Amino acid sequence: KQDAALQTVWGWASVVLNEDGTPVVDSQGDVIEPQELQKAAHGFLLHSRDGGVMHEETGIATIVESLVTTPETIQALFPKVAKGLIPVGWCVAFHVHDKKVWKRVQDGELLAFSIGGVGEREEIEV
């Protein structure tokens, strides 16, 4: 979702579990545990809040809303919603400062969020 008056765009930065509860395998072949995503989101909000484009440009946007949905937070916040309707992941909103980048969002050129990060890979059986 986007709002031109607010120059803000909302979406899922990451979804880590499928509706059936199995892990999502991302395009790099990685799996993120909900609790690890929550730690990463908290670290981002505490220490950065800076949005960029394609992990290169920075300083073009600032996160203004954030909700990490773990199975526990979904149950606590949305107890009447049927299981599986709310993704397990990280929903964000960014205010886009850069006018050229905002136009790319509005034109549909930039359609998704991508989280970057570092971590230690562990082999798992999926």
Side-chain angles (χ1 to χ4, degrees):
K1 175 188 175 337
Q2 54 181 275
D3 185 307
L6 295 174
Q7 207 162 309
T8 298
V9 60
W10 287 259
W12 289 94
S14 182
V15 174
V16 297
L17 293 182
N18 293 305
E19 286 182 22
D20 64 2
T22 59
V24 170
V25 179
D26 70 17
S27 57
Q28 288 79 35
D30 294 325
V31 170
I32 303 171
E33 295 289 332
Q35 294 74 19
E36 291 302 313
L37 179 65
Q38 188 173 47
K39 287 181 199 174
H42 290 185
F44 179 76
L45 292 168
L46 286 168
H47 305 292
S48 176
R49 298 180 46 233
D50 183 44
V53 176
M54 305 305 293
H55 306 280
E56 305 252 336
E57 298 176 50
T58 59
I60 57 96
T62 302
I63 194 167
V64 293
E65 294 182 31
S66 172
L67 175 62
V68 178
T69 52
T70 63
E72 297 79 15
T73 58
I74 292 170
Q75 179 59 39
L77 297 173
F78 310 103
K80 295 182 181 180
V81 176
K83 187 175 181 178
L85 289 182
I86 298 174
V88 173
W90 184 19
C91 187
V92 296
F94 278 86
H95 172 78
V96 181
H97 309 292
D98 184 287
K99 299 285 186 195
K100 290 178 184 174
V101 173
W102 178 247
K103 175 123 176 54
R104 292 173 68 193
V105 170
Q106 288 185 305
D107 291 348
E109 183 182 338
L110 299 173
L111 294 173
F113 291 105
S114 175
I115 60 172
V118 295
E120 293 181 28
R121 283 200 164 104
E122 296 176 18
E123 291 292 324
I124 62 168
E125 292 184 32
V126 182

